[in-house]
Amino acid sequence: MTSRGLVLIWCAVITLGTLVAVASPNLNEDEATIFDSIPASPVVVIGSSLMLHAVPPLGNGTGSLLGDGRAHARLAVSSITEVQTVALLRLVLSGGAKTVLIEANALAFDFASSAPASDQGSIRPVALMQPLLDLSTRARQPLSALINQRPRLTSEAEKLDTDFSVKPGDMAKNYPLHLRFPAHPEALQAALTMAAANGIELILIAPPRSQLAANAMGSEATETLRLHFQTLAHRLNLPLFQPSAVWPNDHFIDAAHMSRRGRTRFLKELAQWWPSRP
């Protein structure tokens, strides 16, 4: 058998194993441990530390997230990855959620510091296999990572009232963004199919950026990102909550994380958008 044939066989095996690990409808022991720590709620928000700042950890009644009286729980993982996002989505789909709002960033781009370098050399068999090998490894990693962050999944942001400031080097570390579509579409699609089969509504959220971040990106890149989120939502056939792409710096504590003022505006605009969503 040729080396190319071996590569194709191993790719198929690894892909199948990954899909079983990420998209299986049955919870394993690690997932059940995380699941037990997630508050049962009809509305769930999944995202990074951006959602930690944008959305209160819990709410109901007059403090309901969507203004419809239903309780919500916000699950935030710092620097959440696409695989972690899908893993958490899969958990809440098994937990009685009726509406899940998902921060789109992990599905849509990589920061400059984490974007994969392009390979200008020849493509070797190991190079063909490495992305799937990485995925197979990461499919197991998010569960242990989420277990370690269990106490923080529904914790409150600690610096909502901090004045806006940005550490030297932060902008260069994050920008330019490297736009992409989901790196593991099969696993994500399995979760979307699971949601549709159970009548669970999924919504994408495209968080706004500070004026400082928009300046660092440039007007063309900022507009390209805005349209990229819309294309992603169209591909996934999901509604998109996308407030204005750029907000004043005083709505943030740094280039990306909202202050209390930013949270107030975010919650108001989300509640206003909700009744007329597509």
Side-chain angles (χ1 to χ4, degrees):
M1 181 177 293
T2 65
S3 61
R4 179 178 177 81
L6 286 171
V7 168
L8 292 176
I9 291 174
W10 276 108
C11 285
V13 170
I14 294 167
T15 300
L16 178 61
T18 297
L19 293 181
V20 170
V22 176
S24 169
N26 299 315
L27 300 183
N28 61 36
E29 182 176 351
D30 287 344
E31 290 173 318
T33 300
I34 305 169
F35 182 82
D36 288 342
S37 70
I38 295 177
S41 180
V43 179
V44 178
V45 179
I46 296 173
S48 69
S49 56
L50 299 189
M51 291 299 101
L52 178 78
H53 282 256
V55 178
L58 301 168
N60 55 51
T62 57
S64 69
L65 179 67
L66 303 176
D68 56 11
R70 292 185 296 165
H72 84 269
R74 183 264 296 132
L75 308 178
V77 177
S78 181
S79 302
I80 195 169
T81 65
E82 178 180 330
V83 173
Q84 288 175 330
T85 298
V86 174
L88 268 181
L89 174 58
R90 182 168 160 265
L91 288 176
V92 301
L93 292 179
S94 302
K98 298 302 181 184
T99 301
V100 185
L101 297 95
I102 308 162
E103 180 188 323
N105 287 358
L107 308 176
F109 64 77
D110 296 308
F111 288 109
S113 59
S114 59
S118 59
D119 184 2
Q120 300 299 327
S122 59
I123 300 179
R124 302 178 301 279
V126 69
L128 289 172
M129 293 174 64
Q130 194 60 48
L132 288 174
L133 288 169
D134 290 344
L135 172 56
S136 180
T137 301
R138 287 199 303 270
R140 297 188 296 273
Q141 287 178 341
L143 298 179
S144 60
L146 291 174
I147 288 174
N148 293 335
Q149 296 202 46
R150 267 191 303 156
R152 292 188 53 81
L153 283 175
T154 56
S155 63
E156 178 57 292
E158 299 174 353
K159 300 180 179 180
L160 285 171
D161 299 307
T162 303
D163 291 336
F164 177 82
S165 66
V166 177
K167 296 179 181 178
D170 276 1
M171 305 308 291
K173 179 176 67 175
N174 292 329
Y175 299 97
L177 301 178
H178 294 262
L179 306 187
R180 59 170 173 78
F181 291 106
H184 317 305
E186 295 89 353
L188 177 58
Q189 186 57 54
L192 300 183
T193 300
M194 182 179 176
N198 289 281
I200 301 170
E201 185 174 21
L202 303 182
I203 307 291
L204 286 181
I205 296 177
R209 312 194 96 69
S210 67
Q211 185 64 60
L212 180 70
N215 291 345
M217 292 176 63
S219 58
E220 182 176 350
T222 299
E223 176 64 9
T224 298
L225 177 62
R226 187 183 72 84
L227 296 176
H228 179 65
F229 281 128
Q230 294 180 8
T231 301
L232 173 65
H234 178 73
R235 285 193 176 196
L236 299 179
N237 194 28
L238 296 178
L240 173 68
F241 173 59
Q242 185 178 42
S244 300
V246 183
W247 286 4
N249 289 338
D250 65 6
H251 285 48
F252 299 84
I253 65 168
D254 55 27
H257 297 89
M258 293 180 199
S259 63
R260 193 173 302 279
R261 175 179 291 184
R263 173 185 281 190
T264 298
R265 175 176 174 180
F266 182 85
L267 297 177
K268 179 180 179 180
E269 293 193 8
L270 176 59
Q272 290 175 338
W273 173 84
W274 182 250
S276 59
R277 65 192 182 284

